[in-house]
Amino acid sequence: MKKLPIGLQSFSKLREDNYIYIDKTKQALNLIENYQYCFLSRPRRFGKSLFLDTLKNIFDGKKELFKNLYIYDKWNFEEYPVIKIDWAGDFKSLERTKKRAKEILKINQEKLNIECSFDNSAEGCFEELIQKSYKKYKKRVVILVDEYDKPILDNLENVEVALQNRDFLRSFYGIMKANDEYIQFAFLTGISKFSKANIFSGLNMLEDISLNDDFGNVCGYTQANIEDEFSEYFKGVDLELVKKWYNGYYFLGEKVYNPFDILQFIKNKFMFQNYWWESGNPYFLITLLKKQHYNIPKLENITIGSELLNSFEVEKLKLEVLLFQSGYLTIDKFIQTPMGVRYKLKIPNLEVQISLNGLFLDYLTNNNFENERLDIYETLLEADLEKFKNIMSSMFASIPYNNYVNNTIGEYEGYYASVFYSYLAGAGLELIAEDVTNDGRIDLTIKMNEKIYIFEFKVVDTKSNNNKGLSQIKNKNYHKKYTQKNVYLIGIEFSKKEKNIINFEWEKL
């Protein structure tokens, strides 16, 4: 049985020490034969660094490492001088970023046995390194950049430093265009996709392969990989449940798993936990939520154009773009329209659904109600709607009063819908927010086995004699969308004054 490549980003170590390696060399060959400057965006811990190191070994001419892989007999493995720029380090100021850039270039000078005399700037040293490498080895240079955007992303909460680092990187990467005649191939990876005007203004020939279906599976594990290369590890494991928890990322190839989740899942004896989520710090999302007051259920029904999907602006961050590029939303489907392609987004899997909505709930209520959420599933499974009402009323009653001080948030339906949605989604339920019918949108639908729950929310000054939410469901025949025998219609009225449920009525069809 081959070993698990946990925490490994070294292609040579994986190949030499009998670790599982998912062959991505077909995509690598396509890149190096058909592209010169290209860029790949993927969320964190998705295997970008390993793929970049695979490219490095190809250009280092290490053919023996590729035996039995796709590329082995299809490439000549000619050796090229390689400059590898790995943005690991501390970038909390422009000075530190420039210092780290010079350190990275110094490492490359030593590896290539070249000494640069230009000490005034990192840009000057980078240019000298490219030109001297070309002259010394009589070969064009290969440039590989890992986490090209880290000096910016590490400073999202300090916009001034983020912009300073962005401007430095723009001039640094611009060196490549000025030295195009000396460059064989350049490949950059990162999480965010800045517009070319912002950071790649000097690299207008850069081709973005992030949503090119030829490279949809260039990072990540497919279902076939789980059932083939990892088959010995998954004997007796419920693969459908694994898929529900961890699969679902879609970049126009096949749906893929984040490798970090799969490897940690096996290592931890097949315990379903939010491994990938806990490996990062998504709390910058909360800062953005506070600034922009999003209606959270709408995040499950976002359709945006490619121009928005491909833009990342430090000065005016958009939550949906950040959620997509960070991996908290993925593509559900793409739609061709007369005005271009549009993408419908969704949460990729159960891990992200539970974790992300726990974070949202903490933001909305100062409490993620993790223990209380465990009771919700059972009450809906048994259709005990009286108990369900009591749980939800208790949850709203426990929200600190100071959440409503100095703001009007308690007067808006979107706030209550967001809390309600995040509470239920965080319990792992199958939800449809703003469920479309032929006569409007249902505020929230829950699917549970053979049961369907249809919710409509209203915010009122006083309790009405005729529940407005339930009346709307019936008047607009929302229930006709579903043919199941057990369909429950539920109207909920929230009080602006009491900040809680004051009218909860339901009917079973």
Side-chain angles (χ1 to χ4, degrees):
M1 184 183 294
K2 290 190 173 183
K3 294 183 285 187
L4 294 173
I6 296 174
L8 297 181
Q9 299 174 353
S10 168
F11 174 79
S12 61
K13 185 172 179 63
L14 264 62
R15 297 294 291 163
E16 291 171 345
D17 295 345
N18 197 38
Y19 286 92
I20 292 175
Y21 173 72
I22 305 301
D23 189 357
K24 305 289 186 180
T25 62
K26 183 175 183 179
Q27 293 96 326
L29 183 63
N30 186 355
L31 273 181
I32 61 182
E33 285 187 335
N34 298 299
Y35 296 80
Q36 184 180 5
Y37 295 89
C38 48
F39 165 71
L40 175 69
S41 168
R42 286 293 184 270
R44 58 185 170 81
R45 297 187 179 273
F46 237 94
K48 300 186 297 295
S49 297
L50 176 58
F51 182 72
L52 185 139
D53 196 58
T54 304
L55 291 173
K56 181 180 182 300
N57 279 270
I58 292 171
F59 285 111
D60 281 342
K62 297 182 178 179
K63 182 175 182 178
E64 69 281 0
L65 294 177
F66 293 86
K67 191 172 184 180
N68 299 322
L69 297 181
Y70 179 87
I71 199 174
Y72 182 72
D73 57 355
K74 300 176 180 66
W75 180 252
N76 60 15
F77 289 92
E78 184 179 356
E79 188 175 357
Y80 289 85
V82 177
I83 298 173
K84 184 177 180 182
I85 299 171
D86 186 348
W87 289 108
D90 178 2
F91 307 104
K92 294 302 182 183
S93 71
L94 177 59
E95 291 70 27
R96 290 182 181 182
T97 302
K98 289 182 175 180
K99 181 175 181 292
R100 179 56 186 154
K102 288 187 176 183
E103 291 170 351
I104 292 169
L105 293 171
K106 182 66 174 176
I107 292 169
N108 279 278
Q109 289 175 61
E110 293 172 355
K111 181 175 66 69
L112 293 166
N113 196 25
I114 287 173
E115 186 172 339
C116 292
S117 57
F118 199 112
D119 295 325
N120 292 331
S121 70
E123 298 95 322
C125 183
F126 187 26
E127 183 168 47
E128 192 173 359
L129 182 60
I130 293 171
Q131 294 180 6
K132 285 191 172 181
S133 296
Y134 172 76
K135 291 175 183 177
K136 180 180 178 69
Y137 294 99
K138 304 294 189 295
K139 293 276 185 66
R140 289 192 175 93
V141 177
V142 171
I143 300 173
L144 304 174
V145 183
D146 201 8
E147 296 190 272
Y148 88 100
D149 51 355
K150 192 173 186 296
I152 303 169
L153 298 186
D154 282 1
N155 291 285
L156 287 183
E157 295 185 6
N158 188 340
V159 174
E160 182 180 357
V161 174
L163 291 175
Q164 289 174 351
N165 284 345
R166 185 195 68 186
D167 292 344
F168 164 71
L169 291 177
R170 181 194 295 135
S171 62
F172 185 79
Y173 297 136
I175 293 298
M176 286 188 275
K177 182 177 182 180
N179 291 273
D180 176 62
E181 62 185 300
Y182 308 115
I183 297 173
Q184 174 71 22
F185 178 79
F187 182 70
L188 295 81
T189 76
I191 292 174
S192 60
K193 298 167 71 175
F194 288 88
S195 65
K196 288 184 178 181
N198 261 345
I199 197 167
F200 293 134
S201 57
L203 284 177
N204 53 6
M205 65 292 207
L206 188 71
E207 296 189 64
D208 184 358
I209 64 166
S210 303
L211 293 179
N212 181 325
D213 56 6
D214 286 340
F215 303 100
N217 306 333
V218 71
C219 293
Y221 297 158
T222 65
Q223 188 63 33
N225 295 145
I226 300 301
E227 296 174 9
D228 186 2
E229 288 92 338
F230 286 93
S231 60
E232 292 186 76
Y233 284 99
F234 278 96
K235 289 178 180 177
V237 177
D238 185 343
L239 291 183
E240 284 303 311
L241 191 54
V242 175
K243 184 187 296 185
K244 184 176 181 180
W245 261 84
Y246 300 122
N247 199 359
Y249 298 97
Y250 181 53
F251 304 103
L252 307 187
E254 298 175 55
K255 289 185 177 179
V256 293
Y257 295 84
N258 184 307
F260 185 83
D261 267 328
I262 292 301
L263 297 176
Q264 291 298 318
F265 177 66
I266 298 171
K267 179 183 177 182
N268 288 277
K269 300 180 180 178
F270 311 105
M271 296 289 291
F272 288 98
Q273 296 181 30
N274 51 354
Y275 300 109
W276 174 74
W277 175 272
E278 290 183 346
S279 70
N281 180 9
Y283 284 92
F284 61 86
L285 296 176
I286 295 302
T287 302
L288 204 53
L289 277 169
K290 289 177 179 177
K291 288 181 180 178
Q292 302 185 15
H293 303 297
Y294 275 83
N295 184 334
I296 288 167
K298 291 182 181 295
L299 294 174
E300 270 287 272
N301 265 307
I302 293 175
T303 301
I304 60 178
S306 58
E307 74 287 347
L308 180 59
L309 205 65
N310 294 326
S311 67
F312 189 98
E313 313 292 341
V314 175
E315 306 97 315
K316 44 184 178 180
L317 292 172
K318 294 184 179 296
L319 183 63
E320 57 267 42
V321 174
L322 202 57
L323 286 168
F324 170 71
Q325 294 185 8
S326 300
Y328 304 121
L329 291 177
T330 194
I331 295 171
D332 183 18
K333 58 184 177 181
F334 67 97
I335 307 158
Q336 185 69 55
T337 75
M339 298 185 67
V341 173
R342 295 185 64 78
Y343 298 92
K344 186 176 184 298
L345 306 181
K346 69 171 185 176
I347 290 175
N349 52 44
L350 194 57
E351 177 197 16
V352 178
Q353 176 185 319
I354 292 172
S355 304
L356 185 62
N357 282 284
L359 180 74
F360 288 157
L361 200 60
D362 195 25
Y363 151 67
L364 292 165
T365 68
N366 293 341
N367 188 339
N368 69 13
F369 298 99
E370 183 174 356
N371 294 328
E372 294 87 341
R373 280 185 280 150
L374 298 176
D375 296 329
I376 285 293
Y377 186 91
E378 187 174 334
T379 61
L380 292 175
L381 191 64
E382 297 175 356
D384 187 345
L385 292 178
E386 185 64 27
K387 185 176 180 180
F388 177 84
K389 180 190 77 171
N390 292 337
I391 290 174
M392 299 306 294
S393 296
S394 176
M395 186 269 291
F396 277 102
S398 66
I399 297 174
Y401 176 76
N402 58 13
N403 273 36
Y404 305 103
V405 175
N406 297 325
N407 65 65
T408 58
I409 193 171
E411 298 180 11
Y412 295 101
E413 183 182 310
Y415 171 73
Y416 296 100
S418 292
V419 173
F420 208 92
Y421 175 87
S422 295
Y423 189 90
L424 298 176
L429 298 173
E430 183 179 354
L431 310 180
I432 305 174
E434 298 193 335
D435 190 4
V436 178
T437 73
N438 61 0
D439 193 22
R441 293 175 182 266
I442 303 168
D443 280 344
L444 184 66
T445 301
I446 300 177
K447 294 183 177 182
M448 176 168 281
N449 295 344
E450 296 302 313
K451 297 182 179 67
I452 296 291
Y453 295 93
I454 295 173
F455 291 87
E456 191 67 29
F457 307 118
K458 299 296 178 184
V459 177
V460 297
D461 293 306
T462 59
K463 180 178 178 180
S464 58
N465 294 325
N466 184 24
N467 187 293
K468 295 179 180 178
L470 185 58
S471 296
Q472 181 170 324
I473 295 172
K474 295 163 69 175
N475 290 339
K476 296 202 171 187
N477 294 312
Y478 287 160
H479 56 281
K480 288 189 175 181
K481 178 174 181 176
Y482 296 98
T483 58
Q484 286 89 337
K485 292 181 180 178
N486 298 311
V487 178
Y488 297 82
L489 316 180
I490 305 166
I492 300 178
E493 293 182 344
F494 294 95
S495 166
K496 293 181 182 178
K497 181 179 179 181
E498 298 178 30
K499 312 293 190 292
N500 207 330
I501 297 169
I502 59 167
N503 196 359
F504 182 105
E505 295 183 16
W506 62 276
E507 291 183 12
K508 179 184 177 184
L509 300 182

